[in-house]
Amino acid sequence: MTVETHPDVLIIGAGPTGAVAARRLVQAGVRVVVLEQGEWPDESKARAGHADYEVRTDRDWGPNPNYRQAPADYPIVDTDSDISATLFNAVGGSTVIYAAQWQRNMPSDFRVRSLDGIADDWPLSYQDLEPYYEQVEADFGISGLGGDPAFPPGKGPPLPAYPLSRMGRKIARAHNQLGWHWWPASNAIATRPYRALNQCTQRATCMWGCVEGAKGSVDKTHWPDNVARGVTLITGARVRQLEMNKTGLVTGAHYVDRQGKEHFQPAGVTILGANGIGTPRLLLLSKNDQHPDGLANSSGLVGKRLMMHPYGTVVGLFEDDLGSTHGVWGQHVHSLEFYETDTRRGFVRGAKWGLLPTGGPMRMTSTYPWGEENEIWGERFHDGIRKRLGHSAMWGISAEDLPNEHNRVELDSLARDSDGIPAPKITYRMSENSNRMLDFHLAKARQSLEAAGAYETMIAPKIRETGWHLLGTCKMGNAPESSVVDQWGRTHDIPNLYIFDGSIWPTSSGMNPTATIAALALRCTEHLVQHRTNQRVPNQRVSG
């Protein structure tokens, strides 16, 4: 086996978690190696501006690894799940294909137990994260407008929001008449040249390859600088197991390169940033005599409490040309009118709405958001295209997902990736609370569009490929008996093993999670930097 240099810290995953952590560590003079199973994104496949753009988007930038089947992908068995998980394995992780909607969690999201008597409180508050939100917003190049009354007062994004589109202005007027909240949305999309980012030209292609280099994905905002500062980034490295010594510390990771050759990467400290599926998968794969149920799993919670944000869409058709073929995608405005709990509605917690364009001609013919049996096909096809193209607007609704131990990630008994490593299986069922919440919000979003002048609205059927937000499978908390890591991301069982990604969320909020994933990773990394000499040998608490 080949042994690389012996760094202070090993990070697994080059998505937003790994990028943020590596930046802070290298700034502190820490030697860092990062293992990423994907490669750098191939910008030549970003085809916006070419005639074949809409034909090639899902082939090259599709979110479901089971369909994409790129060399870096691993299968995710989802036959027992209501939602299919979506992710991207590359330098930049899923920020390469995210819509770049940038939402901080609300203060209430950290206090669900205290406020609503369900689920759990986080072991930290909004105020604890606020300075880290501000820092990562500067690092990612966030655009938006400060002063949203739904949030506590504070510093706004570093870049201005785009002027409201015709679609946005129409919805804003309607919400003013209804007395409902709306605000120009924040996005990780540059409205003017900013550091490594170029100005967005509003092609509405953000999820399928940003040809301008305007989207704040960490392959642009973080990794070139990280590598220039001395971070060792090893791509094409699929980690199959973490190694431990007899004193109960992780000593490094075994990985397989793209040629099938095995390597061992040693390190003093290991940080996992492989998302809410990849991280528990690796902990379960790394079981040993000391930890027969998987590493850091004495609580029995590794892989449990998977949350994926049930998602709904309502589309409105308008006589006016809204210019909705273009714009940021992204979101134009957001609404948090129905975000907080009102028990009179028959459910707890709430959802965030984001107003989206509907895209080009082929997007008018797809199942999303028009439904599995798209009625556009047939002799009135051209009339249907004309009715929709540029004349439609849609609310995307991200609903808070409550933790349930039955919703989980485990190793499948049969499926394997291309290196023969057991694949993850997800089990996920939408709760009655989630179903009631979505039904309520879909009805209210329809009311919003009708108030804006929509002559026809349609609620998209629940679509499987909406598991963009993979959260909760390695819960954070103060008590080792009921959590996997502490508030600083340090595993209770193994003092030199950390988890900084979205898997450590105790609850899911209803927000797009990248802002909080990045802020939390920065906070945890800052604590690690300040306390890096405190690597105690653990008590011999084991699983079982």
Side-chain angles (χ1 to χ4, degrees):
M1 292 188 178
T2 303
V3 178
E4 304 291 345
T5 58
H6 197 299
D8 301 307
V9 175
L10 169 64
I11 300 174
I12 296 171
T17 299
V20 168
R23 169 172 283 188
R24 180 64 191 96
L25 289 166
V26 76
Q27 287 172 346
V30 176
R31 294 173 301 157
V32 182
V33 168
V34 179
L35 300 179
E36 166 56 49
Q37 62 190 333
E39 305 290 345
W40 288 87
D42 185 350
E43 299 294 343
S44 70
K45 295 180 179 179
R47 301 292 294 175
H50 292 76
D52 61 352
Y53 161 69
E54 289 190 294
V55 177
R56 295 182 57 174
T57 52
D58 288 333
R59 185 188 72 182
D60 297 323
W61 307 97
N64 190 331
N66 290 342
Y67 298 152
R68 194 173 58 236
Q69 296 184 350
D73 291 328
Y74 54 86
I76 300 173
V77 180
D78 60 6
T79 50
D80 290 333
S81 178
D82 293 337
I83 297 175
S84 293
T86 61
L87 52 87
F88 204 73
N89 295 308
V91 176
S94 292
T95 65
V96 174
I97 61 166
Y98 75 156
Q101 298 180 20
W102 191 269
Q103 300 280 162
R104 295 185 185 187
N105 282 5
M106 296 280 283
S108 66
D109 292 323
F110 300 89
R111 303 180 60 234
V112 174
R113 186 76 180 177
S114 295
L115 294 173
D116 298 320
I118 55 166
D120 300 279
D121 288 345
W122 291 43
L124 65 150
S125 68
Y126 177 90
Q127 289 71 26
D128 291 329
L129 269 190
E130 187 170 23
Y132 303 100
Y133 277 131
E134 292 177 358
Q135 181 59 55
V136 296
E137 285 164 5
D139 292 341
F140 277 75
I142 306 306
S143 59
L145 179 65
D148 186 340
F151 285 87
K155 187 177 181 180
L159 295 175
Y162 270 105
L164 284 182
S165 62
R166 282 169 281 173
M167 176 178 69
R169 292 195 298 272
K170 189 173 283 287
I171 293 296
R173 285 193 293 268
H175 277 225
N176 286 342
Q177 293 167 1
L178 291 167
W180 290 1
H181 173 266
W182 70 273
W183 198 255
S186 295
N187 295 286
I189 298 171
T191 51
R192 63 186 181 211
Y194 181 82
R195 298 183 181 178
L197 300 177
N198 300 317
Q199 182 174 341
C200 175
T201 58
Q202 302 193 64
R203 295 177 185 267
T205 62
C206 308
M207 296 173 67
W208 304 279
C210 176
V211 295
E212 277 79 26
K215 187 170 74 169
S217 56
V218 294
D219 58 305
K220 299 285 197 307
T221 58
H222 287 68
W223 281 115
D225 182 58
N226 286 351
V227 172
R229 286 173 175 263
V231 174
T232 300
L233 174 60
I234 302 175
T235 60
R238 176 174 280 151
V239 179
R240 65 171 180 82
Q241 187 178 27
L242 301 179
E243 186 69 34
M244 289 188 67
N245 63 22
K246 292 181 180 179
T247 67
L249 298 176
V250 168
T251 58
H254 297 274
Y255 71 92
V256 184
D257 67 21
R258 194 69 77 233
Q259 289 70 46
K261 185 177 180 181
E262 291 205 4
H263 306 259
F264 178 71
Q265 176 60 60
V269 168
T270 296
I271 299 170
L272 302 186
N275 74 53
I277 291 178
T279 287
R281 179 198 185 199
L282 181 54
L283 293 173
L284 296 172
L285 285 169
S286 302
K287 67 181 182 180
N288 55 38
D289 290 342
Q290 296 166 279
H291 300 268
D293 296 324
L295 298 193
N297 198 22
S298 63
S299 65
L301 290 176
V302 168
K304 295 181 179 178
R305 300 165 59 102
L306 172 66
M307 297 173 284
M308 294 197 287
H309 283 167
Y311 190 80
T313 305
V314 184
V315 186
L317 300 179
F318 295 80
E319 296 289 354
D320 298 342
D321 183 351
L322 302 180
S324 55
T325 57
H326 288 74
V328 293
W329 193 332
Q331 54 186 347
H332 291 228
V333 302
H334 72 234
S335 176
L336 300 172
E337 178 65 27
F338 304 104
Y339 191 80
E340 304 291 359
T341 293
D342 183 340
T343 55
R344 294 172 297 179
R345 301 171 188 156
F347 58 88
V348 293
R349 306 305 298 156
K352 184 226 82 176
W353 304 2
L355 186 69
L356 306 171
T358 50
M362 288 193 66
R363 292 287 162 193
M364 303 301 104
T365 70
S366 63
T367 57
Y368 175 79
W370 309 104
E372 294 291 341
E373 296 182 5
N374 195 331
E375 64 180 16
I376 200 170
W377 299 105
E379 62 181 17
R380 299 190 62 81
F381 174 78
H382 293 289
D383 291 338
I385 291 289
R386 279 190 288 268
K387 185 170 72 171
R388 295 175 178 179
L389 185 63
H391 291 258
S392 49
M394 62 180 175
W395 279 118
I397 298 167
S398 177
E400 178 157 356
D401 204 357
L402 295 175
N404 183 329
E405 289 190 20
H406 177 76
N407 292 336
R408 63 193 186 273
V409 177
E410 56 196 338
L411 300 179
D412 191 74
S413 59
L414 297 176
R416 298 287 188 273
D417 64 25
S418 58
D419 291 303
I421 303 169
K425 175 184 177 181
I426 60 173
T427 300
Y428 176 90
R429 297 301 180 201
M430 281 182 57
S431 67
E432 182 62 28
N433 192 77
S434 294
N435 280 305
R436 290 180 181 180
M437 184 189 303
L438 267 184
D439 288 343
F440 172 87
H441 281 268
L442 291 167
K444 289 295 185 181
R446 169 175 272 172
Q447 184 180 348
S448 162
L449 293 169
E450 289 173 345
Y455 65 84
E456 181 181 344
T457 59
M458 58 197 75
I459 294 176
K462 295 182 176 69
I463 299 170
R464 282 188 60 88
E465 290 187 26
T466 55
W468 301 298
H469 306 154
L470 307 172
L471 306 167
T473 50
C474 295
K475 180 194 169 190
M476 172 174 53
N478 293 322
E481 296 77 16
S482 58
S483 59
V484 177
V485 302
D486 65 15
Q487 66 168 303
W488 309 109
R490 187 179 192 170
T491 62
H492 294 300
D493 298 350
I494 304 169
N496 71 335
L497 176 62
Y498 292 76
I499 306 171
F500 289 174
D501 59 32
S503 67
I504 67 176
W505 288 30
T507 56
S508 72
S509 81
M511 300 294 193
N512 304 77
T514 306
T516 302
I517 287 173
L520 188 58
L522 181 57
R523 180 177 185 266
C524 291
T525 307
E526 185 63 42
H527 185 267
L528 176 58
V529 168
Q530 298 301 324
H531 297 83
R532 59 187 180 271
T533 60
N534 180 20
Q535 299 299 328
R536 300 181 308 276
V537 176
N539 296 326
Q540 296 303 307
R541 297 172 59 254
V542 297
S543 306

